[in-house]
């Protein structure tokens, strides 16, 4: 038993369990005691009410009659009878003349008073002859309740401590002492000593402690096996560390050799890179010369045709002039022959003028590619208004092509840019669409959209016309590349637009998957917003 008390005092679980049992039992005891006392108090109050009711029914009429005839003996007899009732400590009778009769001792506090009127009933009338006051001593009731509460609480406290002690004894006998043995056993475990299986001092039965003992014994066996394996691993690790030191020494020597080889290879690569750079420069120069040759060939081909026609027409004019001179000096010359020669001469002159104009136009268009307009002053424009003017001008230039237009641009967007280059880009793209995409078609549609993206303006121009074949799209930004050379096409429009976008420090690309089904060109130029545009804007729609 001393072991039980010592373990109970030292055990936090025992103290906590005891306190919990006592608190819970005390709470239940207080609730039940309070409920019982309240019921007893209500019973006492009900009993007093019955006493008052009996007095009212049995004694009031007799007392009223005794006072009416002033029968002192009968009044005293009735007072002595009423004072004998339970819990009544004082009775007082007063008539209407001021005379009074008393029985018992009156208390100033802890009382319950009841006053009854005394009415004498004659055959003809009811007369108020006095009052009856009955006082009940509540201290007696409170004392009975107090004694009962003390008895209940004391008996329940004894019962609670006995039950708690018995439960604690059962907990100690079945749980706590085994836990204490388990704790001491775990403290004594030493992997370097022999195995001592855990066994609890109790009858052999299968329960949770049996499972715990088996689990701890199995765990100890596994730990010992792991400990032996750890020892072996430690020995192997020491051997591996020694090997590692040898390998590190060997690795350092390899690294030094590798560094020497890398240094030699780096020098060789630097020499190869220098040679490659020289070869790259040679290739770039060759590409430039090839591009220049293509450009010169295109220019020569385009200009050679009208100049050749002019040369042929001029040679024909010389022969016509010689014929005219011979005819004039001839004696048989007629006016009709002279007029015929002059008509042929006029036709040759018109042919020369047309072809010279064509050559001049080609040279002017070629200059639009070569001229650097980036030095022109940037102007503040309203992008919506500017694009609308370019679109309307293009519609006027192609009156035979019917097309609907959609302009999705913020009307309040003002930007600072090179107006000539912007006009050249947009007008060339629109002219290319009216020339190639809308051939023999109806329900044509041109859509221009402008959106802001960080520090750039993205302008998309798309149509629902004929799509551009992939083999044409691959070369359409090259100078003098055209699919309609027989119809007067020069192949300079999109090339000039591409160069203008580059001069604006932007970009231009072609997108094959347009939502409208035709060609889509995307223009990206730097965004520099401004307050308000000028009243007049320079227009230069170069095709």
């Amino acid at each position: 038993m001393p072991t039980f008390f010592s373990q109970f005092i030292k055990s936090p679980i025992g103290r906590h369990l005891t306190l919990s049992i006592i608190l819970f039992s005390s709470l239940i005891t207080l609730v039940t005691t309070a409920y019982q006392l309240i019921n007893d108090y209500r019973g006492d109050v009900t009993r007093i009410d019955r006493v008052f009711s009996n007095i009212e029914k049995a004694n009031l009429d007799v007392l009223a009659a005794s006072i009416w005839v002033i029968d002192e003996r009968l009044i005293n007899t009735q007072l002595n009878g009423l004072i004998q009732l339970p819990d009544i400590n004082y009775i007082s009778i007063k008539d209407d003349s001021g005379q009074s009769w008393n029985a018992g001792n009156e208390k100033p506090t802890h009382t319950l008073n009841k006053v009854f009127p005394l009415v004498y009933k004659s055959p003809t009338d009811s007369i108020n002859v006095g009052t009856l006051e009955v006082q009940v001593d509540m201290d007696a009731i409170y004392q009975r309740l107090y004694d009962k509460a003390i008895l209940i609480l004391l008996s329940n406290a004894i019962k609670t401590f006995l039950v708690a002690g018995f439960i604690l004894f059962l907990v100690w006998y079945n749980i706590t002492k085994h836990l204490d043995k388990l704790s001491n056993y775990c403290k004594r475990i030493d992997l370097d000593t022999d195995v001592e299986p855990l066994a609890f001092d109790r009858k052999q039965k299968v329960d949770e402690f049996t499972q715990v003992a088996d689990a701890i014994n199995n765990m100890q066996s596994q730990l010992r096996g792991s400990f032996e394996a750890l020892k072996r691993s430690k020995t192997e690790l020491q051997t591996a560390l020694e090997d590692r030191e040898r390998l590190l020494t060997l690795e350092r020597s390899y690294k030094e050799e590798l560094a020497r080889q890398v240094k030699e290879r780096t020098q060789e690569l630097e020499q190869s890179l220098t040679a490659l750079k020289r070869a790259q420069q040679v290739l770039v120069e060759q590409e430039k010369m090839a591009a220049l040759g293509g450009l010169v060939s295109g220019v020569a081909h385009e200009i050679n045709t009208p100049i050749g026609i002019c040369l042929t027409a001029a040679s024909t004019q010389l022969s016509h002039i010689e014929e005219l001179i011979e005819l004039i000096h001839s004696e048989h010359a007629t006016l009709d022959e002279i007029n015929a020669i002059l008509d042929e001469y006029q036709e040759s002159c018109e042919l020369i003028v047309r072809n010279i104009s064509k050559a001049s136009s080609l040279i002017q268009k070629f200059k639009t590619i070569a001229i650097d307009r980036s030095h022109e002053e940037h102007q503040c424009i309203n992008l919506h208004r500017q694009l609308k003017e370019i679109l309307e001008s293009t519609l006027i230039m192609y009156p035979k092509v019917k097309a609907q237009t959609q302009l999705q641009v913020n009307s309040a967007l003002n930007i600072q840019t090179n107006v000539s280059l912007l006009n050249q880009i947009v007008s060339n793209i629109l002219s290319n669409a009216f020339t190639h995409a809308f051939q023999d078609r109806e329900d044509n549609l041109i859509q221009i959209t402008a959106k802001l993206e960080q520090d750039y303006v993205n302008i998309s121009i798309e149509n629902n016309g004929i799509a551009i074949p992939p083999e044409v799209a691959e070369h359409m930004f090259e100078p003098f590349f055209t699919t309609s050379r027989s119809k007067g096409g020069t192949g300079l429009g999109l090339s000039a637009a591409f160069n203008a976008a580059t001069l604006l420090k932007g970009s231009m690309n072609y997108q094959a998957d347009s939502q409208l089904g035709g060609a889509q060109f995307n223009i990206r130029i730097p965004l520099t917003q401004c307050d308000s545009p000028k009243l007049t804007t320079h227009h230069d729609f170069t095709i």
Side-chain angles (χ1 to χ4, degrees), residues 6-7 21 33 143 166 194 239 285 300 419 456 458 498 509:
S6 61
Q7 291 183 355
I21 294 174
T33 303
Q143 186 64 37
F166 180 70
D194 295 334
T239 305
E285 293 297 329
V419 183
Y456 288 88
N458 293 330
F498 186 87
N509 63 72

Side-chain angles (χ1 to χ4, degrees), residues 444-506:
N444 299 316
L445 175 61
I446 286 281
Q447 179 176 292
I448 301 179
T449 305
K451 297 181 180 178
L452 302 182
E453 181 181 352
Q454 294 181 352
D455 297 332
Y456 288 88
V457 178
N458 293 330
I459 303 175
S460 298
I461 304 176
E462 53 184 321
N463 61 73
N464 64 343
I466 301 173
I468 301 176
E471 63 273 9
V472 176
E474 185 178 356
H475 303 283
M476 62 183 176
F477 292 124
E478 297 177 2
F480 298 104
F481 178 82
T482 179
T483 58
S484 58
R485 195 175 301 277
S486 60
K487 299 180 182 180
T490 61
L492 297 176
L494 292 180
S495 177
F498 186 87
N499 290 339
T502 304
L503 292 174
L504 283 176
K505 298 182 180 179

Side-chain angles (χ1 to χ4, degrees), residues 183-251:
S183 175
N184 294 328
Y185 178 81
C186 292
K187 292 178 181 178
R188 294 194 308 270
I189 291 178
D190 187 359
L191 298 178
D192 293 326
T193 59
D194 295 334
V195 180
E196 180 185 353
L198 173 63
F200 294 105
D201 299 332
R202 60 198 185 96
K203 296 180 180 179
Q204 294 294 330
K205 57 182 179 179
V206 179
D207 56 6
E208 288 79 359
F209 282 102
T210 304
Q211 297 175 2
V212 169
D214 294 339
I216 290 178
N217 292 329
N218 292 332
M219 181 186 68
Q220 187 175 187
S221 300
Q222 294 176 1
L223 285 175
R224 290 179 180 274
S226 300
F227 186 68
E228 293 296 329
L230 185 60
K231 285 182 177 180
R232 292 192 298 270
S233 299
K234 182 179 179 181
T235 304
E236 294 174 356
L237 182 59
Q238 290 177 350
T239 305
L241 287 175
E242 296 174 356
D243 296 337
R244 178 177 177 274
E245 291 296 331
R246 290 193 299 269
L247 290 175
L248 287 176
T249 304
L250 184 61
E251 182 184 3

Side-chain angles (χ1 to χ4, degrees), residues 209-471:
F209 282 102
T210 304
Q211 297 175 2
V212 169
D214 294 339
I216 290 178
N217 292 329
N218 292 332
M219 181 186 68
Q220 187 175 187
S221 300
Q222 294 176 1
L223 285 175
R224 290 179 180 274
S226 300
F227 186 68
E228 293 296 329
L230 185 60
K231 285 182 177 180
R232 292 192 298 270
S233 299
K234 182 179 179 181
T235 304
E236 294 174 356
L237 182 59
Q238 290 177 350
T239 305
L241 287 175
E242 296 174 356
D243 296 337
R244 178 177 177 274
E245 291 296 331
R246 290 193 299 269
L247 290 175
L248 287 176
T249 304
L250 184 61
E251 182 184 3
R252 282 193 292 269
S253 62
Y254 286 160
K255 283 183 177 180
E256 293 174 357
E257 178 64 22
L258 181 62
R260 185 185 61 79
Q261 295 179 3
V262 168
K263 185 176 180 181
E264 294 177 356
R265 294 293 177 87
T266 302
Q267 293 176 354
E268 295 177 359
L269 289 175
E270 288 177 352
Q271 296 174 358
S272 301
L273 181 60
T274 303
L276 286 175
K277 287 183 178 179
R278 288 197 297 269
Q280 183 182 16
Q281 292 176 357
V282 173
L283 290 175
V284 169
E285 293 297 329
Q286 291 177 354
E287 290 292 333
K288 288 182 179 179
M289 294 304 296
L292 180 60
L295 180 61
V296 172
S297 175
V299 173
H301 176 76
E302 293 296 331
I303 298 179
N304 186 56
T305 301
I307 291 179
I309 294 173
C310 291
L311 181 60
T312 303
S315 301
T316 304
Q317 283 185 354
L318 289 176
S319 62
H320 289 165
I321 290 174
E322 292 176 357
E323 291 177 2
L324 180 60
I325 292 174
E326 291 178 359
L327 186 61
I328 291 175
H329 289 85
S330 174
E331 296 179 355
H332 304 289
T334 63
L335 183 60
D336 292 335
E337 291 177 345
I338 294 173
N339 288 333
I341 294 174
L342 291 176
D343 290 339
E344 292 178 357
Y345 184 79
Q346 183 179 2
E347 291 178 358
S348 298
C349 290
E350 292 177 352
L351 182 61
I352 291 172
V353 170
R354 285 197 303 271
N355 283 275
I356 289 177
S357 298
K358 183 177 181 181
S360 176
S361 177
L362 288 172
I363 293 172
Q364 184 64 30
K365 291 180 179 179
F366 180 69
K367 286 173 62 180
T368 61
I369 300 176
I371 293 176
D372 183 9
R373 295 185 175 180
S374 60
H375 65 277
E376 294 184 5
E377 181 181 358
H378 286 210
Q379 302 179 23
C380 182
I381 62 170
N382 181 274
L383 185 59
H384 180 276
R385 186 187 311 133
Q386 188 70 22
L387 293 176
K388 183 177 181 182
E389 290 178 1
I390 300 173
L391 190 57
E392 291 175 350
S393 301
T394 307
L395 291 173
I396 294 174
M397 294 172 60
Y398 296 90
K400 295 182 180 180
V401 180
K402 304 297 181 183
Q404 296 181 357
T405 60
Q406 293 182 358
L407 191 59
Q408 300 178 0
V409 183
N410 186 359
S411 60
L413 178 59
N414 300 323
I415 65 172
Q416 190 90 14
T417 188
N418 190 318
V419 183
S420 298
L421 295 178
L422 179 63
N423 291 345
Q424 185 177 13
I425 297 170
V426 178
S427 59
N428 283 344
I429 294 175
L430 293 177
S431 298
N432 191 70
F434 277 85
T435 303
H436 300 284
F438 295 155
Q439 295 179 0
D440 303 326
R441 285 176 50 87
E442 296 181 356
D443 299 330
N444 299 316
L445 175 61
I446 286 281
Q447 179 176 292
I448 301 179
T449 305
K451 297 181 180 178
L452 302 182
E453 181 181 352
Q454 294 181 352
D455 297 332
Y456 288 88
V457 178
N458 293 330
I459 303 175
S460 298
I461 304 176
E462 53 184 321
N463 61 73
N464 64 343
I466 301 173
I468 301 176
E471 63 273 9

